[in-house]
């Protein structure tokens, strides 16, 4: 079987112990859904990235909304001040490049495809839009246009569909920071809004367009992996973290905090995907 470990929003909780455990277990691939740092701190983000770079197996990371240049930048984005956000994020592209270098040999993905084959099992990981804030907002547009040439949700969806078309492998996994639109509007749904009285579906529409396009092209979408909306909602309810629909496993890996004290010491969270000829097995694990 193809063994894939998935780590949700780290928020500063990934260190030498995680590296040692993963290097001993040796999954075929490790996926990180972003939000590497606890708060918006490029220095802490790069420290987490260097730990990820110490892994002995391939690792793939998509940047989250916490992995930006500074806290005022993200506040301006959230409050709908694009000009201020652009000015505050004028060093965002530089921080993006620093993150890419700190991760090496792990890969910083975004609007990209990555094929992996082992034990006769082949899949392609399609990485979606980085720095996603959720909802209908196309967040952090300046860095996305500068690095990827994508300027709005429509061009983002078109770019993701193009990547699907260019992928040779027919079995796909989508990796994104925020999940897709269409899985429910309640706060306890996988990517339902839990911080606005109006509630609603907070998933990314460009990602859902790409998933639908892949299916229409005859591709098998094995799984969609994301985070961002923490599993415990602000009301204290547990969010549905695993949903299966149309043959696809939708996984919200954002168990926060992912390191907790247990009866026999610290427990560290990950999701494990086992992919074989018979299908996909998804397991929630505390190591």
């Amino acid at each position: 079987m193809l063994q894939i470990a998935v780590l949700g929003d780290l928020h500063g909780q990934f260190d030498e112990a995680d590296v040692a455990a993963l290097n001993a277990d040796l999954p075929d691939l490790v996926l990180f859904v972003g939000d590497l740092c606890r708060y918006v701190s490029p220095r802490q983000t790069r420290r987490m990235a260097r730990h990820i770079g110490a892994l002995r197996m391939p690792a793939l990371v998509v940047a989250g909304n916490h992995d930006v240049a500074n806290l005022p930048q993200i506040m301006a984005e959230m409050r709908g001040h694009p000009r201020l956000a652009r000015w505050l994020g004028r060093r965002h592209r530089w921080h993006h490049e620093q993150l890419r270098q700190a991760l090496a040999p792990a890969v910083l993905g975004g609007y990209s495809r990555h094929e992996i084959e082992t034990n006769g099992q082949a899949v392609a990981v399609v990485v979606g839009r980085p720095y996603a804030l959720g909802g209908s907002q196309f967040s952090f547009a300046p860095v996305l246009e500068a690095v990827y040439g994508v300027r709005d949700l429509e061009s983002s969806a078109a770019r993701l569909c193009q990547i699907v078309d260019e992928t040779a492998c027919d079995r796909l996994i989508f990796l994104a920071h925020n999940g897709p639109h269409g899985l429910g509007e309640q706060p306890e749904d996988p990517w339902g809004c839990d911080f606005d009285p109006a509630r609603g579906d907070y998933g990314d529409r460009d990602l859902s367009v790409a998933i639908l396009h892949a299916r229409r092209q005859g591709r098998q979408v094995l799984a969609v992996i994301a985070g961002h909306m923490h599993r415990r909602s602000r009301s204290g309810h547990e969010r549905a973290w695993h949903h299966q629909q149309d043959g696809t496993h939708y996984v919200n890996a954002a168990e926060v905090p992912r390191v907790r004290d247990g009866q026999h010491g610290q427990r560290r969270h990950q999701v494990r995907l086992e992919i074989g000829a018979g299908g996909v097995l998804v397991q929630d694990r505390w190591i």
Side-chain angles (χ1 to χ4, degrees):
M1 280 192 166
L2 177 64
Q3 302 277 343
I4 300 178
V6 180
L7 276 73
D9 299 32
L10 300 183
H11 288 298
Q13 293 189 321
F14 186 81
D15 56 22
E16 293 87 350
D18 290 290
V19 174
L22 286 166
N23 282 342
D25 190 32
L26 279 181
D28 299 299
L29 175 67
V30 186
L31 302 178
F32 294 84
V33 306
D35 276 4
L36 306 186
C37 63
R38 187 180 304 275
Y39 303 106
V40 181
S41 168
R43 180 177 298 178
Q44 187 185 75
T45 298
R46 290 193 291 272
R47 184 166 65 250
M48 295 296 102
R50 285 189 286 270
H51 287 314
I52 295 171
L55 293 172
R56 295 192 347 232
M57 74 293 299
L60 186 56
V61 180
V62 60
N65 58 288
H66 274 235
D67 304 321
V68 297
N70 53 69
L71 181 59
Q73 178 194 11
I74 192 174
M75 295 304 295
E77 284 280 355
M78 292 174 64
R79 294 178 180 176
H81 301 295
R83 289 186 179 179
L84 179 60
R86 179 182 292 271
W87 183 80
L88 292 169
R90 60 195 182 278
R91 288 176 59 83
H92 192 170
R93 186 173 183 178
W94 182 85
H95 285 296
H96 178 91
E97 177 61 22
Q98 292 297 303
L99 173 58
R100 186 189 66 80
Q101 294 181 23
L103 279 167
V107 176
L108 180 62
Y111 298 105
S112 55
R113 65 186 188 276
H114 311 265
E115 297 188 7
I116 181 169
E117 181 175 359
T118 185
N119 300 324
Q121 300 298 327
V123 298
V125 180
V126 176
V127 185
R129 171 163 51 99
Y131 305 112
L133 267 173
S136 59
Q137 181 176 358
F138 185 74
S139 51
F140 306 105
V143 73
L144 295 181
E145 184 173 6
V147 176
Y148 302 107
V150 175
R151 62 178 60 192
D152 53 29
L153 283 176
E154 289 73 22
S155 61
S156 177
R159 180 70 176 276
L160 291 174
C161 291
Q162 178 186 1
I163 292 166
V164 169
D165 291 340
E166 295 171 348
T167 303
C169 184
D170 283 333
R171 298 204 301 171
L172 307 182
I173 294 174
F174 283 88
L175 173 65
H177 178 57
N178 189 47
H181 186 271
L183 294 182
E185 300 182 351
Q186 299 305 310
E188 291 75 35
D189 288 325
W191 286 280
C193 183
D194 62 352
F195 54 83
D196 188 327
R199 307 303 187 191
D201 189 334
Y202 211 57
D204 288 346
R205 294 181 181 273
D206 50 347
L207 180 58
S208 61
V209 168
I211 294 167
L212 180 59
H213 176 77
R215 289 205 185 97
R216 287 175 172 171
Q217 296 301 310
R219 307 303 181 94
Q220 185 180 5
V221 182
L222 300 178
V224 179
I225 309 295
H228 184 52
M229 303 301 287
H230 297 178
R231 288 187 180 182
R232 180 170 289 275
S233 69
R234 293 198 175 189
S235 62
H237 293 91
E238 288 295 324
R239 191 183 301 277
W241 70 270
H242 179 208
H243 177 75
Q244 192 170 3
Q245 180 176 309
D246 298 326
T248 300
H249 294 268
Y250 294 87
V251 178
N252 183 336
E255 182 71 66
V256 181
R258 64 165 298 269
V259 178
R260 299 181 185 178
D261 292 327
Q263 184 177 358
H264 304 290
Q266 281 190 337
R267 303 181 303 150
R268 294 163 184 262
H269 179 262
Q270 65 172 255
V271 175
R272 181 61 64 96
L273 272 64
E274 296 181 352
I275 301 173
V280 180
L281 176 65
V282 179
Q283 296 178 314
D284 218 32
R285 294 186 178 182
W286 286 94
I287 309 301

